[in-house]
Amino acid sequence: MQSETFEVFWQKAILPYCNLIFYEIPSNFVECYNVKLDIGTELKNRVSAWYEYYRRDFHKYYFNNSTNSLIDRHKICSCLIGAMVKCRPVSYILTPKIPIEIFLSNYKIAFFSGVKALYLLRIAQWILDGNMTDFVDAIYSQKMFKFPKTQPEHDEYSVGRIKALALTDCRNQAFDTLAYADMLYWIERFNDENIFRIVNQSDI
């Protein structure tokens, strides 16, 4: 990833969700569990390094170490999710009764940072394609990708994915870059279809 692209991700995806999710944690929990947010230069460098680790890993297993093969935006953002899981910008005192808002905070940051990065790349691709003004305007108005609805008795789509990230990490299982790239592809596809429907209806 070019440094300019990573800087966009850092400023428009990672930092906003670090702050948003941290400040959603109730203040009494922050004090009780000594919750802190680290978004300094050291974290930024670690995220970049872990992203490169997952990117190289992907090239090793799927492209036979070919440096000429470019990975698509879904895999780029999947690598970013894996990097954020490793870097954990939120620290806290872990106890058996840790509130779920704290325990899932790093996984929420990882998930939403990756999805937001994909959202930004989708917009950039439509702008690059040209003649997509209506589509760009429609997706800009959302400010973020939307997620499919789930059954009332189930977790929201994003919550389910965040819990899956946490479960994989807590079991010390390797982050599956390809599986999360596939998930991101379908999130993008879901939004593409919604945007095309909105634009086509407005043309009637």
Side-chain angles (χ1 to χ4, degrees):
M1 184 193 305
Q2 294 182 351
S3 59
E4 295 85 354
T5 304
F6 180 77
E7 186 64 27
V8 171
F9 289 168
W10 180 257
Q11 295 293 336
K12 296 189 176 182
I14 297 171
L15 284 184
Y17 278 104
C18 282
N19 285 304
L20 176 65
I21 291 165
F22 175 74
Y23 287 109
E24 284 180 344
I25 300 172
S27 57
N28 59 315
F29 289 172
V30 171
E31 183 177 352
C32 182
Y33 295 93
N34 195 27
V35 185
K36 296 179 181 178
L37 175 65
D38 171 20
I39 49 176
T41 302
E42 183 180 349
L43 176 77
K44 185 178 181 180
N45 292 338
R46 286 173 55 223
V47 172
S48 180
W50 273 107
Y51 167 83
E52 286 299 319
Y53 169 85
Y54 282 115
R55 183 189 65 79
R56 289 194 301 268
D57 199 52
F58 197 91
H59 276 270
K60 176 181 177 181
Y61 288 105
Y62 297 101
F63 292 126
N64 294 319
N65 285 322
S66 171
T67 56
N68 295 322
S69 300
L70 298 177
I71 61 175
D72 60 48
R73 59 183 174 269
H74 313 100
K75 296 179 183 68
I76 288 171
C77 296
S78 178
C79 291
L80 188 64
I81 291 175
M84 291 305 299
V85 168
K86 285 291 186 182
C87 291
R88 303 176 183 273
V90 176
S91 62
Y92 50 85
I93 298 172
L94 182 61
T95 71
K97 294 184 178 180
I98 190 78
I100 194 72
E101 295 95 333
I102 300 174
F103 181 71
L104 291 181
S105 58
N106 285 309
Y107 305 108
K108 289 175 70 175
I109 290 170
F111 175 79
F112 285 115
S113 294
V115 174
K116 182 68 176 206
L118 181 62
Y119 168 86
L120 296 170
L121 289 174
R122 192 68 182 109
I123 292 174
Q125 184 62 55
W126 274 347
I127 292 173
L128 187 64
D129 290 344
N131 300 316
M132 302 288 284
T133 303
D134 291 342
F135 298 92
V136 172
D137 290 345
I139 199 169
Y140 259 133
S141 68
Q142 290 185 181
K143 299 182 179 179
M144 177 56 157
F145 277 147
K146 295 181 179 180
F147 302 109
K149 290 184 178 180
T150 56
Q151 294 298 320
E153 65 272 16
H154 295 131
D155 287 330
E156 292 181 2
Y157 180 89
S158 59
V159 175
R161 305 290 74 74
I162 290 162
K163 287 182 177 179
L165 267 179
L167 186 61
T168 298
D169 189 43
C170 290
R171 288 177 172 175
N172 291 318
Q173 294 175 340
F175 177 76
D176 192 333
T177 314
L178 196 61
Y180 276 87
D182 186 65
M183 174 202 73
L184 290 166
Y185 167 82
W186 287 110
I187 291 173
E188 181 188 85
R189 179 70 178 269
F190 173 77
N191 281 269
D192 281 0
E193 292 177 356
N194 284 342
I195 295 297
F196 273 79
R197 193 177 303 115
I198 291 169
V199 172
N200 289 334
Q201 286 176 350
S202 66
D203 289 340
I204 297 174

